[in-house]
Amino acid sequence: MSGFEYGNTRLRVRASWLLDAAAFRDLLQSSTIDGLLSRMATGPYARELEEALVRYRGLRRLDEAVRAHLGRQFADVLSFYADDIRDRLRLYQLGLDIRNVRSLLRALSRRTGGERILSALVPTSNLDGAALGELARQRDVRAAVDLLSVWRLPSPLVIRHLRRVLGRYTETGDVLLLEDALDEAYGATARTEVDRASQGDLLVEAIQDEVDQINLMGVLRARDSASDGAVAMPVTLVDGGRVADSVWEEVIGTEDRSMILARIGGPLPRSWGSGLSAWVEHGNVARLEADLEAARARAAHNRMRSDSLGIGVPVGFMSRKESEAKNLRLVGRAVVGHLPRADAFDQLVGLG
């Protein structure tokens, strides 16, 4: 027994409930947010919608139901496995935790209110919906970091890195110090996992995808900031990816996009090729980021199909549920008129 049989069987059943392209087309036909929620009320989101309908109003009912559902699903995933498998899946969720903490600290530093971004966060078994809500209600960055320190979440290593730079942040107000500390902590954890895992391990592939995308977006934005002779914005490279730091540093100073692609294209996933080739033509980093998110969502499907008795099933399932949550939030905003419905459908990811 590999330890995956029970959990993977449960998750393959749940994967059959994931919303497909036809389901999203149907949801986009809703004339009002109430109509959208009614269409969802008999499906896998029924429990969370019932709770949200009595507590919230308007679009927030959808956002809160989706957030609660995602948190419960991620907690269930860990409950299906034990020992080393569970620990490794916590590592996957750590990447989501760090993204959440980064977004919250950024919002608190700008004094825009952490609660305003809660709907876009991804609750996990460590930092669930209640924990994220409590963090969002803190008065400032220091209070949020102090609370994380009491909880020792999302990991002791992350807390050590944050506290190491907290004093400098207090003096300068530069939230990039905190974001760099988060990236360094994630990179150190990722490198440990990459070094100990076997060749072709699908959890490592998912981690490397995330690290490579973080680094790629960082260096391309730094490159763009220096395009008119300005000083390039600083970049903290995250450890654990496929591309060497020296190569990323070359990219910042390279003007020709085709030369950049030739330099980095080999180590990066083949599925990123079309997005990178398109970027060579249009040069828009935001469009490239959206293309890579779509490619990573498709990779999650492949991991579930290709690794029926391995870690690809829980990793792929979590990635697909995260994509589904993003898609539902997008559909909700289209239904209330924040963007055209056709545009919303074109932006959905993970349906292939």
Side-chain angles (χ1 to χ4, degrees):
M1 298 288 283
S2 68
F4 287 103
E5 289 84 355
Y6 172 77
N8 286 13
T9 300
R10 296 288 301 272
L11 292 182
R12 282 196 294 272
V13 172
R14 293 197 182 192
S16 69
W17 305 341
L18 287 163
L19 302 178
D20 59 13
F24 280 111
R25 284 195 184 95
D26 179 65
L27 293 175
L28 280 166
Q29 298 303 310
S30 307
S31 57
T32 65
I33 189 65
D34 288 336
L36 171 62
L37 298 178
S38 177
R39 289 173 190 245
M40 295 175 59
T42 58
Y45 289 83
R47 173 185 174 185
E48 291 82 10
L49 279 171
E50 183 177 355
E51 295 171 358
L53 287 172
V54 299
R55 297 182 60 189
Y56 305 105
R57 293 179 178 273
L59 186 59
R60 189 173 179 188
R61 292 173 293 174
L62 173 67
D63 289 342
E64 293 295 337
V66 168
R67 192 159 65 95
H69 177 82
L70 192 59
R72 285 172 177 157
Q73 293 290 305
F74 277 16
D76 283 352
V77 168
L78 291 193
S79 74
F80 295 157
Y81 302 92
D83 304 326
D84 182 60
I85 299 173
R86 181 183 297 173
D87 290 342
R88 299 193 72 214
L89 294 175
R90 286 188 188 279
L91 174 59
Y92 176 84
Q93 292 192 10
L94 177 64
L96 304 176
D97 289 331
I98 286 179
R99 276 189 254 160
N100 290 334
V101 172
R102 178 189 289 109
S103 297
L104 282 169
L105 294 183
R106 187 182 300 146
L108 291 170
S109 73
R110 295 171 179 169
R111 303 191 182 281
T112 55
E115 290 182 281
R116 295 179 61 182
I117 66 165
L118 274 177
S119 66
L121 304 183
V122 182
T124 69
S125 56
N126 273 339
L127 293 176
D128 60 16
L132 292 174
E134 185 65 21
L135 284 169
R137 288 189 289 273
Q138 298 305 299
R139 66 182 181 276
D140 56 26
V141 165
R142 177 173 283 277
V145 173
D146 286 345
L147 184 58
L148 288 169
S149 300
V150 171
W151 292 341
R152 296 179 64 78
L153 294 175
S155 78
L157 179 62
V158 171
I159 297 305
R160 287 199 299 274
H161 277 72
L162 283 175
R163 297 209 71 86
R164 176 172 54 81
V165 301
L166 188 58
R168 289 167 57 204
Y169 165 77
T170 302
E171 294 172 2
T172 64
D174 184 0
V175 73
L176 288 177
L177 292 168
L178 300 169
E179 295 186 23
D180 288 349
L182 289 170
D183 286 341
E184 289 171 3
Y186 182 62
T189 308
R191 171 51 63 190
T192 299
E193 185 65 18
V194 168
D195 287 345
R196 83 182 184 102
S198 61
Q199 185 81 13
D201 184 280
L202 295 186
L203 173 64
V204 166
E205 285 186 10
I207 291 171
Q208 289 180 316
D209 285 356
E210 176 146 9
V211 170
D212 286 332
Q213 183 170 336
I214 292 170
N215 288 335
L216 177 60
M217 294 299 103
V219 298
L220 291 184
R221 290 187 175 111
R223 170 187 172 274
D224 288 353
S225 73
S227 60
D228 294 323
V231 177
M233 57 189 288
V235 178
T236 297
L237 294 170
V238 181
D239 204 4
R242 303 176 181 88
V243 181
D245 287 0
S246 59
V247 174
W248 288 129
E249 289 162 1
E250 288 177 24
V251 168
I252 298 175
T254 302
E255 182 175 349
D256 189 313
R257 293 195 291 270
S258 61
M259 290 181 62
I260 293 174
L261 178 56
R263 192 73 177 89
I264 66 174
L268 295 179
R270 186 178 302 175
S271 60
W272 293 15
S274 61
L276 288 166
S277 296
W279 169 78
V280 170
E281 298 299 321
H282 59 65
N284 187 307
V285 175
R287 283 178 58 186
L288 172 60
E289 187 169 27
D291 287 342
L292 297 188
E293 289 293 339
R296 289 177 60 190
R298 290 191 297 271
H301 283 254
N302 294 334
R303 289 185 180 107
M304 287 201 72
R305 287 194 293 259
S306 66
D307 195 30
S308 61
L309 286 179
I311 204 163
V313 171
V315 170
F317 178 80
M318 287 190 287
S319 179
R320 292 180 66 184
K321 288 300 294 186
E322 184 185 0
S323 295
E324 183 175 88
K326 292 177 182 177
N327 290 342
L328 284 170
R329 288 193 289 265
L330 195 64
V331 167
R333 278 141 185 83
V335 168
V336 300
H338 293 177
L339 76 161
R341 298 178 191 229
D343 290 352
F345 187 82
D346 289 343
Q347 293 175 41
L348 299 181
V349 297
L351 303 183

